């Protein structure tokens, strides 16, 4: 899952990541519940979302975060639609970030 910090910069792991511990605990519990279920699922993990116009491109990483501070909501929406056609994303966590 994404909570392990794979793909994050050393700076983010040391500064930003420790702050919202309660939020991460809830996310970890959700991801464990999904993994234990028989349901087909895909979790997308974006960075901070903005209301900026979509750039029309993004990067993904399987089971890891993508380095980057922010992503336009429109680019995340595009990524959500794109993973629907990718069987490799079923029962996987997909990090999404700026390109």
């Amino acid at each position: 899952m994404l909570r392990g910090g794979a793909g994050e910069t050393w700076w983010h792991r040391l500064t930003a990541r420790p702050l919202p511990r309660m939020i991460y605990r809830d996310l970890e519990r959700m991801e464990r519940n999904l993994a234990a279920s028989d349901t087909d699922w895909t979790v997308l993990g974006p960075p901070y979302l903005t209301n900026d116009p979509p750039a029309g491109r993004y990067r993904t990483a399987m089971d890891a975060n993508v380095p980057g501070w922010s992503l336009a909501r429109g680019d995340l929406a595009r990524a959500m639609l794109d993973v629907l056609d990718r069987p490799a994303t079923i029962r996987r966590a997909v990090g999404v970030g700026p390109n």
Side-chain angles (χ1 to χ4, degrees):
M1 296 295 192
L2 296 175
R3 300 307 111 204
E8 292 178 350
T9 64
W10 65 269
W11 186 89
H12 187 267
R13 283 193 305 273
L14 293 176
T15 59
R17 197 171 191 331
L19 297 176
R21 292 190 191 280
M22 290 175 52
I23 294 169
Y24 278 116
R25 273 185 259 157
D26 285 347
L27 289 171
E28 288 169 355
R29 186 176 26 235
M30 181 243 352
E31 290 173 347
R32 280 194 308 272
N33 288 341
L34 283 172
S37 76
D38 294 331
T39 305
D40 286 346
W41 54 268
T42 302
V43 170
L44 272 72
Y48 176 78
L49 297 176
T50 69
N51 292 324
D52 295 340
R57 58 192 184 280
Y58 59 88
R59 290 184 301 154
T60 61
M62 299 301 284
D63 301 317
N65 292 309
V66 174
W69 290 104
S70 63
L71 184 70
R73 284 179 169 81
D75 291 325
L76 176 61
R78 177 80 262 161
M80 292 170 73
L81 293 173
D82 290 345
V83 300
L84 293 174
D85 293 335
R86 296 184 194 160
T89 65
I90 296 173
R91 298 187 61 79
R92 302 287 299 272
V94 181
V96 182
N99 189 9

